Amino acid sequence: MRFIPRRSPPFLAALAISGGAMAAAVVIRGLFAGWDTAFALSVTHFPAFIVATLFAGQRWGWASLASAMTVSLVLRGGLPGEAAVRAGVVLYALSGAVTVMVAAALREIVLRLDEAQAALDRSEARLQMAQSAGEVGLWDWDAETGQGYWSPTLYRNLGLPISHQTGVRKLLDAVHPDDRERVRLNNIAAIKTGKMAPCEYRIVRPDGEERWLLSRGEVLLNGAGRAVRAVGVNIDITDRRHAFEKLRESEERFRMLADSAPALLWVSRTDGRREFVNQAYVDYLGVPYEQALDFDWRERLHPDDMARVLKEQVAGEASRKPFRLEARYKRQNGDWSWIRSVSQPRYGPGGAFIGFIGIGIDISDAKETQHDLQDINELLAERVAAALAERDEAQARLHHAQKLEAVGQLTGGVAHDFNNLLTVITGALDLIQRRPDDADRRERMIEAALGAARRGERLTHQLLAFSRRQALKPEAVRIDDLLAESEPLLRRAVGEAVSFTLTPGAEGAVAMIDQGQFDAAIMNLVVNARDAVSQGGSIRVLTQACELAEGEVQDVAAGAYVRVEVRDDGVGMGPEILSRVFEPFFTTKEIGKGTGLGLSQAYGFARQSGGGVAIQTTPGQGASVSLYLPRCVEAALAPPLPTPDAEQPTPAARALTVLLVEDDPEVGDMVCAMLTELGHVVVRADGVDQALVELAARQDLDVVLTDLVMPGGLSGLDLARTISEQRPGLPVILSSGYAGEAQPIAAETQWPLLRKPYSADALARALADSTDPQSQAA
């Protein structure tokens, strides 16, 4: 009945159905009863009413009935007068109404049957899908006939074609031989008792594949209690069975591993009860496995550890985080042992906390070893202290030996340089002594001796700066101007066999540096370059103002710099030498020909000035050493200082009474001669104690000239402080060639420092500056 529509068709379609049915009824009436009676009321209209009601709906059945009666009455001219005819019309109307209602009821019944069939079809389809998806095969067995029914899924589970014959015997043929008897006995018991127990067994498919099936069923009994029918399902559980086997194997492996472990293992639930313990756990307690699961460890816990362990355990379990316990527990044999337990939280598949898994390790041996180690440590403490003292003493001796070696290297180089200078001085004095009347020769020799003395002064300044015993005096100077003043001295240091070129390129560039240290650094670099080149080689000194980016030059910060480069075409240096060139006393020259202080002095000067040094060299292709000195604004430029060789007028001064404090008799005699030559009166003292005596005895002293470093417990600074307290208005001039640790303090005091060696002119200027306020103002 699927051809009956569930819903009424559209208006035009419904009109066509009802109109077509009525037209067919009229035509049939006309053909068989005459065309003059075609539109008369007739039973031939009832099938049309039924068709209209079934296919177009009940309202169209009523419409068909109403239209038939209307047309017939209109053609008759109204309701007929005869009683019999009127009764026929009424009977026609009632019969038509009954026909429409019956047809409508039939339509509803048909539609409901159709819906029920569709629902049944869907249910069967879902059942079939569920059977197929769950690999559930249905079977039905008639005990009287021995015939059975298998669903398609059961055929598929057995690996048999659907055309295969069904039945209990055929099913037993597919069962694995090892399980066949068990399945047969299960079936016999079901027939006898009327109850079929679930049964798992293996089958062998025609292709040889083994599968696991689970059989469930119900046995139907007749009134006599005899089995007449059995129905049930066979479910393919191969995957579940394999998973179960793997789980069982995994559990067996876990238990074997756990039981073979020398540590105590357990798994607990949220309430603290053990779900699993290993064999070591059971052996430690000495009780059966089931008792071990519920054992209360407080019975074995040492009384001294009880309160602490229980508190830590409650806190650890409440935190649901890993926690550790250490305590003493009693073994089965009564011995006490230290157990360290570590508990780790565990979570279920949904992430819910389900308890702890723990491990306990016997650390009794470790505790005993720890105690022994503590005793050993205490025993060895004194020995270690003694060994450290011996090591420190050995290191001190080693450092002393290294210092002696460095001093030896330094002495060789310095002695060589000073011997050259003394050769010039002694030779000049000897020649003057031989022919004192030769004025021209005397002046030349005196100039040579003074030049050698000044070079010796620079050498001592270099050594003091290297040893950090001489403080730097930075001043803002133009680098190109400073190099121009030093050019003659640099040329004489290079000699005539080597070409020397000065190429200034930093015009107007100003750096804040110590001029003396800068001269010494450049001289060291030029002398090193001279020693590296052969005859006919060349040395160039270049300057340039530059901007350095971060990391462009190693150990030099980004900023504005003046670069002073000393370049030669000599032998160059290899990596092994380049890595040590800045080490103090390191030199590749022969013994007595170098101190190893040149590059280290240049490096120290550049770093103290806020810059750095970079070297570029290749063996056999020369070397280039660059000093990077920070640039500063030209407004800070200091006035140029006169060169040491320049002639300066000696300031005129009144005759003074000078207290000269000098512990070296020869130096004292020389300074006394200078003061006398300048027209001053000299009072001598060889130490601070004698100076204090003279100070108390003489009130006519105009100025005190004292050496800074003197033997005894008091220095020139101590004398100056005493004079400032006892004779506040008496000027004091400090003098020293090497002030040691006192020089930085002396540089910060109110008293001027006259550096040795000094000339008579320098002495006269110092006296004038200290005693003449106008000279100081000038």
Side-chain angles (χ1 to χ4, degrees):
M1 300 300 288
R2 294 292 180 87
F3 52 85
I4 297 178
R6 293 181 52 80
R7 296 182 179 180
S8 298
F11 176 80
L12 293 178
L15 180 62
I17 292 173
S18 64
M22 288 303 298
V26 170
V27 170
I28 292 173
R29 172 76 177 181
L31 289 175
F32 290 97
W35 291 103
D36 56 336
T37 62
F39 291 98
L41 298 177
S42 171
V43 294
T44 58
H45 296 163
F46 289 175
F49 300 160
I50 296 173
V51 170
T53 302
L54 289 176
F55 292 98
Q58 184 176 4
R59 61 178 180 174
W60 287 100
W62 293 117
S64 298
L65 174 61
S67 62
M69 292 186 65
T70 300
V71 171
S72 177
L73 292 175
V74 169
L75 292 178
R76 284 178 177 271
L79 188 65
E82 297 85 355
V85 176
R86 285 197 300 271
V89 172
V90 173
L91 183 61
Y92 174 86
L94 292 175
S95 299
V98 171
T99 300
V100 171
M101 288 188 293
V102 171
L106 179 62
R107 171 185 170 85
E108 186 67 21
I109 292 173
V110 170
L111 290 178
R112 290 188 178 182
L113 288 175
D114 193 26
E115 289 178 357
Q117 184 63 40
L120 178 61
D121 293 343
R122 288 193 299 271
S123 177
E124 290 181 352
R126 285 193 295 269
L127 177 61
Q128 185 63 34
M129 291 175 62
Q131 293 177 14
S132 179
E135 297 182 328
V136 178
L138 301 178
W139 54 266
D140 187 352
W141 176 64
D142 191 332
E144 294 180 354
T145 63
Q147 299 297 318
Y149 162 78
W150 292 353
S151 70
T153 306
L154 181 56
Y155 280 104
R156 190 178 67 199
N157 288 346
L158 298 175
L160 298 174
I162 296 180
S163 60
H164 191 80
Q165 187 176 1
T166 62
V168 175
R169 181 68 59 185
K170 296 299 180 181
L171 180 61
L172 286 175
D173 291 343
V175 176
H176 193 282
D178 295 343
D179 299 339
R180 189 172 298 160
E181 182 64 18
R182 178 165 56 84
V183 174
R184 188 181 69 84
L185 293 177
N186 187 71
N187 292 339
I188 292 174
I191 293 174
K192 289 181 178 180
T193 62
K195 295 181 180 180
M196 180 174 289
C199 181
E200 294 183 5
Y201 54 89
R202 290 167 293 174
I203 63 167
V204 181
R205 289 181 174 179
D207 58 2
E209 180 185 6
E210 290 187 5
R211 305 289 292 182
W212 279 90
L213 296 183
L214 168 63
S215 180
R216 292 178 179 272
E218 292 288 340
V219 177
L220 303 180
L221 304 177
N222 58 13
R226 179 181 178 185
V228 294
R229 185 181 179 188
V231 294
V233 295
N234 280 355
I235 306 172
D236 191 320
I237 59 170
T238 304
D239 294 340
R240 190 189 73 180
R241 189 77 185 193
H242 288 170
F244 172 77
E245 292 295 332
K246 290 181 179 179
L247 178 61
R248 184 177 58 81
E249 292 175 2
S250 176
E251 290 180 349
E252 289 180 356
R253 286 195 299 269
F254 169 74
R255 179 169 287 279
M256 290 178 61
L257 290 173
D259 288 342
S260 63
L264 283 64
L265 300 176
W266 66 89
V267 177
S268 65
R269 302 184 310 196
T270 55
D271 58 2
R273 186 181 186 275
R274 304 293 192 257
E275 288 185 353
F276 164 82
V277 296
N278 70 336
Q279 189 61 40
Y281 190 104
V282 174
D283 294 342
Y284 191 93
L285 294 176
V287 298
Y289 182 83
E290 293 299 328
Q291 292 184 23
L293 293 176
D294 296 318
F295 192 85
D296 187 353
W297 275 89
R298 289 176 294 184
E299 299 178 11
R300 299 288 182 90
L301 187 58
H302 196 283
D304 295 343
D305 300 335
M306 179 78 71
R308 173 182 58 83
V309 170
L310 293 180
K311 180 179 179 181
E312 293 176 356
Q313 181 178 0
V314 171
E317 292 178 350
S319 69
R320 294 187 178 181
K321 295 180 180 179
F323 65 94
R324 186 177 68 175
L325 302 174
E326 285 187 9
R328 288 163 291 182
Y329 297 89
K330 183 183 293 185
R331 291 180 176 273
Q332 179 188 8
N333 58 8
D335 296 337
W336 291 97
S337 61
W338 279 92
I339 300 293
R340 175 186 294 162
S341 64
V342 179
S343 297
Q344 186 81 16
R346 61 191 186 100
Y347 300 92
F353 173 75
I354 58 175
F356 284 91
I357 181 170
I359 180 172
I361 303 174
D362 190 331
I363 59 171
S364 300
D365 294 340
K367 284 287 186 179
E368 183 177 356
T369 302
Q370 181 181 359
H371 184 268
D372 293 342
L373 286 176
Q374 184 176 357
D375 293 341
I376 293 174
N377 287 336
E378 293 176 356
L379 180 63
L380 292 179
E382 296 181 0
R383 298 183 182 180
V384 171
L388 290 176
E390 293 178 1
R391 184 202 64 184
D392 293 341
E393 184 178 356
Q395 286 182 345
R397 289 196 297 267
L398 175 61
H399 291 163
H400 182 66
Q402 290 174 339
K403 289 180 180 179
L404 290 179
E405 180 182 357
V407 170
Q409 295 177 359
L410 175 61
T411 302
V414 173
H416 171 76
D417 292 340
F418 266 104
N419 283 336
N420 290 338
L421 299 176
L422 292 176
T423 299
V424 176
I425 295 172
T426 57
L429 294 177
D430 182 63
L431 291 176
I432 292 173
Q433 188 178 28
R434 289 175 182 273
R435 297 172 61 179
D437 297 333
D438 189 342
D440 293 339
R441 184 179 184 182
R442 184 176 65 248
E443 290 298 327
R444 290 197 307 272
M445 293 302 101
I446 291 175
E447 181 64 28
L450 289 175
R454 294 189 182 99
R455 290 197 297 275
E457 179 186 6
R458 283 195 295 270
L459 179 58
T460 59
H461 288 172
Q462 173 186 338
L463 293 174
L464 293 175
F466 166 73
S467 64
R468 303 300 187 265
R469 297 301 187 181
Q470 179 169 308
L472 297 182
K473 291 185 177 181
E475 297 176 312
V477 295
R478 293 190 182 93
I479 298 299
D480 286 356
D481 294 347
L482 208 57
L483 286 173
E485 296 173 2
S486 303
E487 182 177 5
L489 184 61
L490 296 175
R491 288 188 182 276
R492 287 197 298 271
V494 170
E496 297 180 355
V498 178
S499 172
F500 177 81
T501 306
L502 176 62
T503 307
E507 182 178 1
V510 177
M512 184 70 70
I513 58 172
D514 184 297
Q515 297 185 38
Q517 289 303 301
F518 175 79
D519 291 339
I522 298 301
M523 179 63 72
N524 286 332
L525 297 181
V526 169
V527 171
N528 281 348
R530 178 201 65 190
D531 295 339
V533 301
S534 58
Q535 290 189 359
S538 63
I539 299 174
R540 294 184 62 190
V541 179
L542 309 92
T543 62
Q544 180 188 11
C546 61
E547 297 282 343
L548 293 184
E550 190 68 34
E552 183 175 350
V553 177
Q554 186 177 4
D555 297 332
V556 180
Y561 292 88
V562 181
R563 183 177 68 185
V564 182
E565 180 182 3
V566 178
R567 185 186 306 170
D568 67 72
D569 55 4
V571 295
M573 292 177 284
E576 67 283 353
I577 296 177
L578 185 61
S579 63
R580 300 186 60 191
V581 291
F582 294 133
E583 294 181 10
F585 309 120
F586 174 76
T587 179
T588 58
K589 301 175 184 178
E590 298 178 5
I591 297 177
K593 293 187 177 181
T595 62
L597 295 175
L599 281 174
S600 65
Q601 183 273 337
Y603 177 81
F605 159 72
R607 295 294 292 175
Q608 281 185 302
S609 300
V613 181
I615 299 179
Q616 294 180 345
T617 180
T618 303
Q621 299 183 16
S624 172
V625 182
S626 298
L627 297 181
Y628 289 91
L629 306 174
R631 291 208 313 266
C632 61
V633 295
E634 190 170 357
L637 188 63
L641 296 178
T643 60
D645 298 330
E647 292 291 339
Q648 298 185 36
T650 301
R654 60 184 177 87
L656 303 173
T657 300
V658 181
L659 175 59
L660 175 61
V661 186
E662 177 61 59
D663 62 295
D664 190 319
E666 294 181 357
V667 175
D669 293 342
M670 180 60 68
V671 176
C672 183
M674 289 182 182
L675 291 172
T676 303
E677 181 70 21
L678 294 173
H680 304 301
V681 177
V682 181
V683 179
R684 295 284 297 273
D686 60 2
V688 175
D689 294 335
Q690 186 179 354
L692 293 175
V693 173
E694 296 292 342
L695 185 66
R698 303 188 61 120
Q699 299 298 319
D700 58 341
L701 297 177
D702 296 310
V703 64
V704 178
L705 175 60
T706 177
D707 191 17
L708 186 59
V709 179
M710 287 182 293
L714 299 177
S715 67
L717 278 176
D718 297 323
L719 177 59
R721 293 189 184 100
T722 302
I723 292 174
S724 65
E725 295 175 359
Q726 299 179 2
R727 303 274 292 271
L730 182 60
V732 177
I733 300 175
L734 303 176
S735 174
S736 179
Y738 169 66
E741 299 295 339
Q743 176 162 328
I745 301 175
E748 298 177 359
T749 62
Q750 56 181 322
W751 303 289
L753 178 64
L754 182 62
R755 299 180 184 277
K756 297 178 181 179
Y758 50 83
S759 64
D761 292 340
L763 178 58
R765 285 193 298 272
L767 292 172
D769 291 342
S770 297
T771 59
D772 187 357
Q774 293 183 356
S775 175
Q776 295 179 9

